[in-house]
Amino acid sequence: MRSIFISIMTFLMMTACTTAPEVNIGIVPAPVSVSVKEHGRFALGDNITVKAASEDLLAPAAVFAEQAGRILGYVPEVMSGKSGRNAICVSVDPSLEKEEYRLKVTRSGITVRGGSGQGVFHGLQSLRQVLVECKDAGALPLMTVEDRPFFGYRGMMLDVCRHFSTVDEVKEFIDILSMHKVNTFHWHLTDDQGWRIQIEKYPLLTEKGAERKETVIGHASKSREYDGKPYGKGMYYTHDQIRDVVRYAADRYIEVIPEIEMPGHTLAALASYPELGCKGKGYAVATTWGIFDDVACPGKDDVLRFFEGVLDEVIELFPSHYIHIGGDECPKTRWKTCPYCQERIRKEGLKDEKELQSWFMKKMEQYINSKGKAVIGWEEILEGGVSPTATVMCWKHPEIGIEAARLGNKVIMVNSQYSYFDYYQAEDTSKEPFAIGGYVPVSKVYSYDPYDSLTGDDRKPVIGVQANLWREYIRDMSHVEYMVLPRIAAMSENGWSYDRKDYEDFVLRMDGLRMLYDINGYNYAKHIFN
Ligand code: ACM
Ligand code: ZN
């Protein structure tokens, strides 16, 4: 009896070792190549470990182990080491580019090699999708993945001014970005309806500027009704909280770029320090959405000193290469009749108020450059002349992005018609949560060509793509998830896989991410899955 039992077991083991599990492997964003073998498997037992070949990889290995734990039902042990049976071995391979990786599944183990810790982490995010797809089969097919991003900048913006997110919610947002290989979190921290970053030198910004008296009900363009409820008291990030978020993002290889809006979208600052405005009094934190005539006064030297003081603390808190200084939607109405602004125009020999805005933005850029950092501004920074070293975020007029690229400025493409995730994602809006308008389904996001009509060398200044989530009508995290997922997957493919896109194939490959959305309890839009 005993010998028969052994021979049956041996036969079963041999079959198990030679047959690949019947699973669909799909990775988003699309890798450069995936090759899956017909024979052989890596069994998903209960003793998988993660081995880091160098000290610096222990942290990303631990982040991954925790993520894998939610799929496997146990958190794999993380340890130093280079090889071992049933191990996921991670190492840096200097022959690869920084974000590039190789993922290899063999019978005895899995290896992930990256050009840096970031490359390793991207490889582990791909492995996470493969794991969830193979979980029910109990084994992975033998496979090799080669992968690297097309664009170096792949960003997503979150507005926390119109509606706020707690530190834990911001961390969840960062988790979502890293799952999609987005490498930049653009944090929109100040606006007319709320100032959300502590500035020690100017405490009123968060004592007064974080809170609005009430909030408009319904669509701001039509409604004159308000809810009568104060919003925003205490809704800001302390320095410690910001450091915590920056660290959390860095552990997931995401750079956090803070945005401090100027000279427009500054009503919350003016309500806190009225002397910053042209009139010098009568300001309140905005209670409705839109563009407001009251903006900072570039005629006053104290306004320059104010923003420099704010930037000093921001630069100290954020290790990012870039600081975003806004520059969008700044009406010139007040400047036209302001004696300070008119005196500045005269003294500096400027042609008009557009040149005054450009003069102001250039001053701020010089200050930021003197601290070793670079600036990003919205496309309006081209009005009145742009400094050649500013990076332009093009959001409304593709022709401005094209012009900036031809001028040689670096450009990030965020065309609202493809990349604004506050827009509706279904034509029939009756079943959708109330939104600002527009229609940007996943297929539209996916169809975005950030190069537009640029060809040849003119494409070089385009460093990448981004999507924005403005929050006028998006109050809570569940709604944030719904607007972002799965559109961010399409955007991530525009950034990571620009040269290998295929929409039908993308939808088929979305199964793994969808399962991860489910495991994490995210509230995602289902239109492409129906
Ligand atoms: C913007 O949407 N105002 C950049
Ligand atoms: Zn003025």
Side-chain angles (χ1 to χ4, degrees):
M1 276 305 286
R2 194 164 172 261
S3 62
I4 294 171
F5 176 71
I6 290 169
S7 65
I8 290 171
M9 279 304 289
T10 312
F11 173 74
L12 283 174
M13 276 165 64
M14 277 174 58
T15 327
C17 288
T18 50
T19 319
E22 286 196 17
V23 287
N24 292 321
I25 300 293
I27 298 172
V28 172
V32 172
S33 77
V34 179
S35 78
V36 179
K37 292 202 174 140
E38 275 176 36
H39 300 289
R41 54 172 58 204
F42 170 80
L44 284 174
D46 57 4
N47 60 349
I48 291 174
T49 56
V50 185
K51 292 199 171 172
S54 48
E55 280 283 298
D56 56 316
L57 296 181
L58 284 168
V63 172
F64 168 76
E66 203 274 323
Q67 294 169 338
R70 271 178 249 164
I71 300 166
L72 298 170
Y74 67 95
V75 178
E77 198 183 334
V78 176
M79 59 189 90
S80 295
K82 293 196 169 141
S83 62
R85 274 197 86 75
N86 293 328
I88 299 168
C89 296
V90 300
S91 61
V92 168
D93 176 347
S95 73
L96 301 176
E97 287 167 27
K98 188 164 156 262
E99 292 197 84
E100 190 173 5
Y101 71 89
R102 299 282 183 275
L103 163 64
K104 190 164 184 181
V105 180
T106 69
R107 281 191 170 85
S108 59
I110 298 174
T111 58
V112 178
R113 290 183 291 122
S116 65
Q118 191 175 23
V120 168
F121 193 74
H122 291 322
L124 289 170
Q125 293 312 301
S126 293
L127 176 59
R128 199 175 161 197
Q129 291 179 41
V130 175
L131 281 181
V132 80
E133 287 164 333
C134 297
K135 167 76 173 73
D136 287 347
L140 272 55
L142 306 187
M143 57 189 291
T144 307
V145 179
E146 293 187 5
D147 204 6
R148 64 179 165 275
F150 186 87
F151 285 110
Y153 183 103
R154 305 176 307 280
M156 174 93 217
M157 187 214 77
L158 182 69
D159 168 11
V160 291
C161 303
R162 279 55 178 257
H163 288 102
F164 185 68
S165 293
T166 64
V167 166
D168 282 347
E169 289 168 344
V170 172
K171 287 180 177 175
E172 185 202 304
F173 193 76
I174 288 167
D175 288 342
I176 289 174
L177 304 199
S178 76
M179 177 188 275
H180 295 86
K181 302 192 178 84
V182 170
N183 62 6
T184 308
F185 169 41
H186 168 176
W187 204 358
H188 185 80
L189 287 162
T190 71
D191 216 305
D192 297 306
Q193 296 82 6
W195 183 284
R196 310 259 173 246
I197 172 172
Q198 177 193 20
I199 301 295
E200 283 171 355
K201 190 168 179 190
Y202 300 109
L204 296 184
L205 288 172
T206 42
E207 276 167 35
K208 282 188 165 185
E211 190 176 15
R212 57 180 179 260
K213 193 168 83 159
E214 56 190 354
T215 302
V216 68
I217 296 173
H219 205 288
S221 64
K222 301 186 198 103
S223 174
R224 294 288 165 269
E225 234 190 298
Y226 290 79
D227 65 5
K229 291 187 214 145
Y231 179 93
K233 191 176 172 62
M235 289 184 183
Y236 65 90
Y237 309 102
T238 65
H239 284 195
D240 279 348
Q241 288 175 322
I242 295 220
R243 284 192 200 96
D244 181 28
V245 168
V246 167
R247 212 170 19 242
Y248 187 88
D251 284 347
R252 286 147 188 81
Y253 298 92
I254 290 184
E255 180 159 82
V256 186
I257 297 180
E259 181 185 355
I260 306 297
E261 273 273 20
M262 61 185 85
H265 286 293
T266 43
L267 259 181
L270 269 53
S272 313
Y273 295 97
E275 61 273 23
L276 299 172
C278 293
K279 289 185 298 174
K281 59 176 192 245
Y283 308 114
V285 179
T287 54
T288 186
W289 324 121
I291 300 171
F292 301 90
D293 282 344
D294 285 312
V295 300
C297 173
K300 297 179 181 172
D301 288 343
D302 283 351
V303 169
L304 292 156
R305 301 295 89 77
F306 167 81
F307 281 110
E308 287 167 4
V310 169
L311 289 168
D312 284 342
E313 293 185 32
V314 169
I315 287 167
E316 190 65 34
L317 285 168
F318 292 90
S320 59
H321 170 61
Y322 285 116
I323 305 292
H324 198 308
I325 52 172
D328 60 323
E329 300 180 324
C330 181
K332 313 294 185 284
T333 324
R334 298 283 180 257
W335 298 358
K336 286 194 172 130
T337 55
C338 168
Y340 299 98
C341 287
Q342 292 307 312
E343 174 60 11
R344 179 81 76 199
I345 288 176
R346 196 193 58 72
K347 225 170 96 196
E348 298 293 335
L350 306 171
K351 196 164 82 204
D352 55 16
E353 289 73 22
K354 281 188 176 171
E355 284 200 0
L356 178 59
Q357 157 132 355
S358 167
W359 175 88
F360 174 80
M361 296 311 274
K362 283 179 186 161
K363 281 274 172 224
M364 288 299 121
E365 186 191 1
Q366 280 163 13
Y367 189 73
I368 288 169
N369 290 164
S370 77
K371 308 272 170 178
K373 305 262 184 185
V375 302
I376 299 180
W378 297 113
E379 67 185 39
E380 288 92 330
I381 64 168
L382 256 76
E383 291 172 11
V386 68
S387 124
T389 45
T391 295
V392 179
M393 205 166 249
C394 174
W395 65 279
K396 196 174 187 179
H397 302 96
E399 63 280 10
I400 293 186
I402 290 166
E403 183 194 335
R406 295 213 167 107
L407 286 170
N409 286 83
K410 283 191 192 150
V411 181
I412 297 160
M413 293 296 194
V414 201
N415 187 322
S416 58
Q417 299 308 308
Y418 299 86
S419 316
Y420 270 32
F421 292 175
D422 53 331
Y423 289 7
Y424 280 110
Q425 47 193 328
E427 236 168 346
D428 175 7
T429 58
S430 65
K431 296 193 189 73
E432 295 295 312
F434 185 67
I436 193 163
Y439 175 45
V440 180
V442 174
S443 56
K444 180 96 191 272
V445 178
Y446 199 86
S447 70
Y448 186 36
D449 182 354
Y451 285 136
D452 205 284
S453 59
L454 291 167
T455 55
D457 278 356
D458 283 349
R459 289 184 163 193
K460 279 194 184 143
V462 179
I463 60 170
V465 291
Q466 179 169 300
N468 289 346
L469 192 70
W470 301 106
R471 299 273 297 279
E472 285 91 340
Y473 303 98
I474 304 171
R475 297 185 72 96
D476 59 34
M477 202 54 198
S478 168
H479 194 177
V480 167
E481 291 164 5
Y482 182 81
M483 299 310 266
V484 169
L485 299 169
R487 287 191 282 195
I488 191 174
M491 199 282 293
S492 97
E493 200 134 312
N494 291 338
W496 183 278
S497 324
Y498 175 81
D499 56 349
R500 44 191 186 267
K501 286 203 304 174
D502 176 335
Y503 183 67
E504 311 288 313
D505 188 61
F506 160 77
V507 174
L508 292 174
R509 277 184 284 107
M510 277 299 292
D511 268 0
L513 274 180
R514 184 189 189 179
M515 286 185 247
L516 291 179
Y517 298 165
D518 282 329
I519 282 181
N520 285 284
Y522 296 150
N523 174 30
Y524 58 96
K526 310 261 180 343
H527 310 89
I528 64 161
F529 302 115
N530 292 331

